[in-house]
């Protein structure tokens, strides 16, 4: 996939340390993952992803195109992916909403692509320049119809790069769109970033399906432009790709397989971080930007002898519900600091029977360590 | 004995789903004729379509790569394809509702970028697939299922708009002008840069019956009677042109094709000759 | 020689309309798919202009040169 020139260029970056923005790290993650097509439309706080890609893609024999809107961007990304390029776009809530129909198209046609949503405060233009974490459910259910979703939420600049590579790998492996659910806080955070050595990376190549899908639910993808007369449609289709929108069984078979390929591979996709869990009586579950003050608060409370644990979903979808069910059997309470009105908390409630306490904060500001610490103390008194 | 052009089609799924006398089939016929004359390998053609009866012209019938996308977005999908596969002939075929209505903005900007797509917009004056609702090209005063008291809007001159946006090739023909249409489709396929033909076509079922044109034959006669050449149109006043279909070539330019410019940027970065 | 492929004909009569001679007319009976297909009245009227072939929306009518068709 990557040309020699691209690998050569990325090798010159290996080991280099930069003081970089989360958005820039996202872009570099894509480049290291082998992305050669970016279609996008400017929006705060995601524009720096586009700007970095516009500058760097020509160095890896890749293409940047700014479209007339986000609908065109995601459409071109899917087209480029079908034509053989690992492809992506980056946006924020308003643009992410516009993309939803074609995200469904990517699901239905099993076309890999990565969509970055650097979340900002909404609905609508809301607080356009302020971060939020309120697209958790839009990422999961934004497009219509039955489907699964893969989404990851990084909480550091380094993780933006690392997780982006994983997003591309999963997207290629399962032939499914993958969402990087970043947030304005992380996207605009400047922190240390170490570039990997391309030689150390395990990249999932196009068509590399030999041992890929343990459940045998993903077929190799036939590219366009290679003389195969490939027919692709977003309508319900049979195994040979031909449309059949009337047979109940054809639709059921297609959709259950598309869902199963994610669901049955949950263990291969889900990633979480757990700390101080062994004897925890209360556990703080938090993701993305808000997990940073959450961890700070847990550490402070621990230092004072409070038996509190820290649990961070790195993958948001598929959801780590089974693991939380196990945890829910041992703890008394789960606290969920998040920059929305309880979107993650609501999902957790489906898996545990202990109380799930919403520690929500909206308005464009992440929790402070003190705020989460106070919530821990209040909820740890019996 | 079989039709010599069937080799370009997925024969096992013929006949097409289009209604009897529908212009969509004539456009498909003209398209494969153009390809046959130019001796283009169909496997090097990637057809990208939107949603609507007209989008069913190449997809799934044409035996090359076919990408049936979402309503209005074919040109954007096709742009992604063309950037990655610049050597393929990337052809977009869709309706007036699709390309001029919901997808109008993609059309304008693809023409402005001059991306190397061949776009055949099939203008049947109506939303055919959904059963005859008003479209951006429906004439003023026509009754449709969503303009039950007559259409209060004016139709868009879509070919002129695309010409103004900067496309390298723009023409308009009708299904009546079948030989001219085929020749024009060939010119479009050979154009580097954005090539666009508005093909005025008939939908006898969802449009014709509302305007007293009951079948394909009636439409053929109507197109014949009401077409004027580009040259002649220049001598006519706006009032005289009312209700006329101006046919012929509307633009031809030699601007550099978009993906070529993109590749030049890469080349300049590689050789250190860029900005 | 005019050949009509009944499998695909939808009976729109466009071919008949455009025949400059009098080679084609509408069948009196419907074909297997329920359409009134064209029928050749007189092959000798055909000048191989291919109007019918070019106008047909359904690849259901075409002209073959006589030398070919003799054993075709
Ligand atoms: C986003 C979206 N909106 C609406 C539709 C419903 N729809 C299907 S086809 C169509 C219009 C087709 O008209 P046109 O593009 O002119 O093509 P025609 O059928 O006339 O050839 C519409 C509105 C859709 N499929 N997707
Ligand atoms: S509804 Fe109109 S456009 Fe659609 S297939 Fe029938 S005649 Fe053609
Ligand atoms: S034009 Fe074609 S489909 Fe129509 S009647 Fe003639 S042969 Fe049949």
């Amino acid at each position: 996939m990557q040309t020699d020139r691209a690998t050569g260029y990325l090798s010159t970056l290996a080991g280099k340390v930069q003081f970089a923005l989360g958005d820039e790290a996202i872009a570099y993650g894509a480049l290291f993952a082998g992305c050669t097509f970016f279609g996008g439309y400017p929006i705060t706080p995601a524009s720096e992803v586009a700007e970095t890609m516009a500058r760097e893609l020509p160095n890896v024999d890749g293409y940047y195109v700014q479209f007339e809107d986000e609908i065109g961007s995601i459409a071109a990304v899917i087209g480029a992916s079908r034509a053989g390029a690992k492809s992506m776009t980056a946006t924020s809530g308003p643009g992410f909403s516009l993309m939803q129909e074609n995200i469904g198209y990517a699901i239905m046609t099993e076309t890999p692509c990565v969509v970055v949503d650097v979340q900002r405060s909404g609905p609508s233009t809301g607080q356009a320049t302020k971060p939020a974490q309120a697209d958790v459910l839009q990422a999961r259910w934004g497009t219509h119809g039955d489907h699964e979703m893969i989404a990851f939420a990084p909480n550091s600049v380094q993780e933006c790069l690392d997780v982006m590579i994983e997003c591309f790998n999963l997207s290629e492996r399962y032939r499914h769109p993958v969402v990087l659910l970043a947030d304005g806080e992380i996207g605009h955070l400047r922190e240390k970033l170490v570039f990997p050595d391309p030689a150390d990376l395990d990249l999932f190549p196009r068509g590399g399906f030999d041992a890929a899908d343990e459940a045998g639910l993903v077929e190799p993808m036939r590219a366009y432009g290679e003389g195969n007369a490939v027919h692709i449609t977003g309508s319900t289709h049979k195994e040979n790709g031909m449309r059949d929108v009337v047979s109940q069984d054809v639709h059921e078979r297609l959709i259950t397989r598309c869902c199963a390929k994610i669901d049955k591979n949950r263990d291969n996709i889900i990633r979480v971080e757990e700390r101080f869990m062994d004897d925890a009586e209360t556990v703080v579950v938090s993701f993305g930007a808000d997990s940073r003050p959450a961890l700070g608060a847990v550490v402070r409370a621990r230092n004072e002898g409070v038996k509190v644990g820290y649990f961070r979903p790195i993958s948001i979808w598929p959801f780590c519900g089974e693991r939380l069910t196990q945890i829910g059997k041992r703890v008394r309470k789960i606290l969920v600091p998040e920059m929305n009105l309880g979107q993650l908390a609501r999902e957790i409630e489906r898996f545990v029977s202990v109380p799930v306490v919403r520690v929500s904060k909206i308005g464009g500001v992440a929790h402070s360590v003190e705020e989460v610490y106070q919530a821990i103390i209040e909820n740890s008194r019996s | 004995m079989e039709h010599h052009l069937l080799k370009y089609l997925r024969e096992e799924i013929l006949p097409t789903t289009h209604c009897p006398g529908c212009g969509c089939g004539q456009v498909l016929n003209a398209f494969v004729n153009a390809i046959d004359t130019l001796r283009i390998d169909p496997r090097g053609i990637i057809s990208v379509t939107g949603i609507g009866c007209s989008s069913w012209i190449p997809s799934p019938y044409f035996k090359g790569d076919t990408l049936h996308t979402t309503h209005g977005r074919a040109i954007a999908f096709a742009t992604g394809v063309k950037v990655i596969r610049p050597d393929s002939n990337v052809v977009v075929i869709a309706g007036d509702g699709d390309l001029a209505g919901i997808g109008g903005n993609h059309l304008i900007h693809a023409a402005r970028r001059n991306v190397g797509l061949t776009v055949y917009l099939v203008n049947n004056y109506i939303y055919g697939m959904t059963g005859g609702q008003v479209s951006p090209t429906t004439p003023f005063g026509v009754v449709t299922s969503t303009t039950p008291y007559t259409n209060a809007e004016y139709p868009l001159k879509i070919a002129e708009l695309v010409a103004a946006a900067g496309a390298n090739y723009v023409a308009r023909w009708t299904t009546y002008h079948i030989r001219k249409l085929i020749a024009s489709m060939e010119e479009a396929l050979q154009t580097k840069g954005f090539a666009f033909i508005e093909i005025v076509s008939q939908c006898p079922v969802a449009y014709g019956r509302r305007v007293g044109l009951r079948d394909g034959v009636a439409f053929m006669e109507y197109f014949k009677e009401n077409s004027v050449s580009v040259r002649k149109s220049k001598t006519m006043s706006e009032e005289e042109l009312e209700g006329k279909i101006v046919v012929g070539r509307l633009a031809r330019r030699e601007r550099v094709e978009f993906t070529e410019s993109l590749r030049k940027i890469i080349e300049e970065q590689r050789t250190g000759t860029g900005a | 020689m005019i050949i009509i492929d009944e499998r695909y004909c939808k009976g729109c009569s466009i071919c008949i309309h455009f025949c400059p001679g009098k080679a084609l007319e509408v069948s009196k009976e419907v074909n297997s798919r329920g359409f009134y297909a064209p029928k050749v009245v007189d092959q000798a009227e055909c000048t191989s202009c291919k109007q019918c072939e070019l106008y047909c929306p359904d690849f259901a009518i075409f002209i073959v040169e006589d030398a070919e068709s003799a054993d075709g």
Side-chain angles (χ1 to χ4, degrees), chain B residues 9-122:
Chain B
L9 304 177
R10 292 193 172 100
E11 246 192 281
E12 64 282 6
I13 48 174
L14 293 179
T16 68
T17 54
H18 297 117
C19 307
C22 172
C24 290
Q26 292 174 309
V27 175
L28 177 61
N29 190 345
F31 178 53
V32 290
N33 262 293
I35 282 162
D36 193 57
T37 314
L38 294 176
R39 296 177 187 281
I40 297 175
D41 183 348
R43 291 171 309 172
I45 294 180
I46 304 175
S47 309
V48 187
T49 69
I51 298 291
C53 300
S54 310
S55 291
W56 278 73
I57 291 171
S59 167
Y61 305 113
F62 185 71
K63 209 198 287 175
D65 291 328
T66 39
L67 184 64
H68 211 121
T69 71
T70 46
H71 191 33
R73 317 301 168 195
I75 284 181
F77 277 87
T79 301
V81 171
K82 183 68 182 179
V83 169
I84 302 304
R85 297 275 177 188
D87 297 331
S88 296
N89 260 302
V90 183
V91 178
V92 173
I93 307 182
D96 46 288
D98 190 284
L99 288 171
I102 187 169
N105 206 29
H106 305 305
L107 174 60
I108 293 168
H109 289 282
R112 174 181 63 79
R113 275 179 205 112
N114 198 29
V115 51
L117 307 175
T118 303
V119 179
Y120 301 135
L121 181 153
V122 181

